[in-house]
């Protein structure tokens, strides 16, 4: 290649040429919407840390699902907000818990919504940890037992996908085994295979009343100053039966998304987390910032990096933005 015979700008000369060679596509099918479900009736309560998002009681959740279907979103990931917290993880394994009830109701009302159940205990423990704490740390194998029980309850209630976000070693293996033994061999598992101990989760923790001051999660969530640890995390989960994997956070970790794409043949879902939403959304009325175009560009970036799908608090607004800019 040599200038002036080669002039790269020729291929960008007009819109027809630019459009012809575009190879990154985005559609509303790519988006999975996180929804927070609370106890009670007729509740639609603003979430302070996530502008534009609400916690819904189950009856209101159904109305919200109708709305999201109408705008073109068909996949959701559910999180529970509860006051019934304890440290033995018994809340999350009850069939009467908020999320199993929510899933049953969605499945009763819709046959065309994909329901992903986030599988973790931090929303339900008083200490805010993701599992059973023994001697000041989350006990890996005892937590796995709880997660497997919780997975069965979620599968029974109708969840299409179980998404363990706890970061215990070996949880996919035990969850897969227990699901299969109980007749749920077609329930999918999308583990958060790559989950960094990140500061970008704080609006989520505020939304779910998780007290962040007393602890950190660095003994189980990954160190973002290590650029190689993701390789074994993904390998382990694929070997144990993951159907697709989740990577989070997303926007500061596009290198990791891209490298995972090169190394493994498995669908990748990137999780554009609450802090990333906050960062973008806090500039929604900033006259020096083109919010819609910048958001579109960031989401295209996640697709270009290798994401097959994106979990995002921007999902609903993205359906509108896509129809405008695509
Ligand atoms: C549960 C869970 C968390 C998030 C998703 N699942 C919280 C955490 O690990 O602290 C965070 C998602 C977000 O920030 O949007 N373990």
């Amino acid at each position: 290649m040599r200038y002036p015979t080669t002039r790269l700008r020729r291929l960008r000369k007009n819109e027809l040429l630019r459009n012809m060679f575009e190879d990154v596509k985005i559609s509303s099918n790519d988006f999975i919407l996180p929804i927070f479900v609370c106890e009670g009736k007729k509740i639609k309560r603003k979430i302070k840390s996530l502008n534009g998002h609400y916690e819904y009681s189950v009856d209101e959740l159904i109305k919200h699902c109708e709305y999201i279907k109408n705008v073109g979103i068909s996949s959701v990931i559910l999180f529970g907000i509860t006051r019934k917290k304890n440290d033995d993880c018994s809340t999350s394994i009850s069939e009467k818990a908020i999320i199993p009830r929510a899933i049953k109701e969605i499945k009763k009302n819709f046959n065309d919504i994909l329901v992903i159940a986030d599988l973790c205990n931090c929303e339900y423990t008083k200490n805010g940890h993701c599992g059973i704490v023994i001697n000041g740390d989350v006990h890996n194998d005892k937590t796995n037992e709880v997660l497997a029980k919780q997975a069965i309850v979620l599968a029974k209630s109708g969840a299409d996908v179980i998404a363990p976000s706890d970061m215990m070693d070996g949880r996919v293996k035990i969850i897969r085994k227990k699901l299969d033994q109980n007749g749920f061999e077609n329930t999918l598992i999308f583990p958060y295979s790559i989950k960094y101990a990140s500061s970008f989760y704080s609006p989520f923790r505020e939304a779910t009343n998780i007290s962040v001051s007393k602890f950190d999660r660095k003994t189980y969530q990954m160190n973002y100053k290590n650029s190689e640890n993701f390789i074994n995390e993904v390998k382990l989960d694929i070997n144990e039966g993951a159907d697709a994997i989740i990577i989070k956070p997303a926007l500061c970790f596009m290198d990791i998304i891209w490298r995972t794409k090169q190394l493994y043949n498995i669908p990748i879902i990137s999780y554009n987390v609450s802090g990333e939403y906050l960062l973008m959304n806090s500039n929604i009325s900033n006259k020096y910032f083109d919010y819609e175009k910048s958001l579109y560009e960031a989401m295209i970036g996640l697709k270009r990096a290798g994401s097959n799908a994106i979990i995002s608090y921007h999902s609903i607004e993205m359906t509108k933005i896509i129809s405008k800019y695509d």
Side-chain angles (χ1 to χ4, degrees):
M1 268 198 311
R2 198 167 272 164
Y3 170 84
T5 327
T6 301
R7 284 182 182 270
L8 299 172
R9 286 182 57 190
R10 275 198 294 261
L11 280 172
R12 303 198 286 268
K13 198 167 94 166
N14 62 37
E15 202 173 357
L16 289 176
L17 280 162
R18 289 193 296 271
N19 288 348
M20 182 176 281
F21 299 117
E22 266 178 22
D23 60 358
V24 182
K25 301 268 177 259
I26 198 157
S27 97
S28 52
N29 293 333
D30 297 330
F31 285 89
I32 301 165
L33 175 71
I35 305 183
F36 297 89
V37 192
C38 64
E39 278 145 14
K41 282 206 175 98
K42 293 200 166 72
I43 296 172
K44 180 182 172 186
R45 193 182 291 130
K46 270 193 174 132
I47 298 177
K48 277 193 224 129
S49 58
L50 286 166
N51 180 35
H53 285 266
Y54 297 81
E55 48 183 273
Y56 300 91
S57 54
V58 173
D59 50 334
E60 292 290 326
L61 170 71
I62 298 306
K63 287 191 209 160
H64 187 50
C65 285
E66 249 152 55
Y67 169 73
I68 67 166
K69 277 296 306 174
N70 283 337
V71 301
I73 295 291
S74 302
S75 303
V76 298
I77 182 161
L78 302 179
F79 298 99
I81 298 182
T82 182
R83 257 168 257 105
K84 292 179 199 147
K85 299 198 184 204
N86 57 42
D87 284 341
D88 62 7
C89 297
S90 56
T91 310
S92 59
I93 59 175
S94 159
E95 295 194 18
K96 293 193 194 109
I98 185 69
I99 295 300
R101 283 196 278 125
I103 297 171
K104 265 183 225 152
E105 212 48 37
I106 295 179
K107 287 292 167 186
K108 213 192 287 170
N109 286 276
F110 303 90
N111 56 14
D112 50 0
I113 292 185
L114 185 89
V115 178
I116 304 176
D118 182 87
L119 173 61
C120 195
N121 279 282
C122 59
E123 291 122 85
Y124 310 108
T125 52
K126 268 193 190 143
N127 62 29
H129 273 291
C130 298
I132 306 271
V133 176
I134 295 176
N135 295 333
D137 197 8
V138 175
H139 192 282
N140 195 86
D141 299 5
K142 288 202 191 318
T143 300
N144 279 344
E145 284 167 29
V146 174
L147 291 170
K149 283 186 197 151
Q150 197 181 344
I152 301 297
V153 172
L154 294 166
K156 258 191 204 155
S157 62
D160 299 287
V161 181
I162 308 293
S165 66
D166 51 280
M167 291 308 282
M168 297 302 114
D169 289 323
R171 87 274 210 215
V172 175
K173 182 178 176 183
I174 166 162
I175 292 166
R176 182 72 275 156
K177 190 170 144 205
K178 284 276 152 61
L179 286 174
D180 290 357
Q181 282 170 352
N182 285 273
F184 296 110
E185 60 279 344
N186 289 324
T187 303
L188 293 92
I189 305 178
F190 295 175
Y192 295 70
S193 299
I194 304 176
K195 176 171 178 179
Y196 291 97
S198 166
S199 299
F200 283 92
Y201 309 143
S202 50
F204 174 97
R205 290 182 186 163
E206 176 64 33
T208 51
N209 308 314
I210 298 174
S211 53
V212 280
S213 53
K214 287 179 249 157
F215 62 91
D216 71 42
R217 295 173 171 176
K218 289 184 182 144
T219 70
Y220 46 107
Q221 298 182 354
M222 292 156 63
N223 179 2
Y224 59 77
K225 287 185 173 177
N226 182 321
S227 63
E228 303 297 335
N229 53 7
F230 81 96
I231 298 172
N232 284 344
E233 293 287 347
V234 176
K235 198 186 286 172
L236 190 65
D237 286 357
I238 292 178
N239 288 342
E240 291 180 0
D243 297 290
I245 63 151
I246 302 176
I247 300 179
K248 84 181 202 183
L251 293 174
C252 293
F253 296 88
M254 289 209 199
D255 55 328
I256 302 295
I257 298 170
W258 170 251
R259 288 175 67 197
T260 304
K261 193 75 188 171
Q262 305 310 304
L263 285 169
Y264 298 105
N265 179 20
I266 188 148
I268 295 173
I269 301 162
S270 39
Y271 195 144
N272 175 219
V273 298
S274 56
E276 298 172 333
Y277 173 81
L278 182 65
L279 202 58
M280 188 66 84
N281 188 266
S282 53
N283 278 303
I284 195 162
S285 349
N286 185 338
K287 66 175 176 173
Y288 302 113
F289 187 66
D290 190 324
Y291 177 73
E292 289 192 350
K293 283 190 180 159
S294 306
L295 175 57
Y296 184 73
E297 190 175 322
M299 296 299 117
I300 290 283
L302 290 178
K303 291 285 317 233
R304 195 180 57 245
S307 314
N308 298 90
I310 301 168
I311 302 174
S312 179
Y313 301 91
H314 294 292
S315 294
I316 292 175
E317 51 187 350
M318 275 307 293
T319 61
K320 292 168 198 145
I321 293 174
I322 288 168
S323 56
K324 224 160 140 183
Y325 298 108
D326 231 22

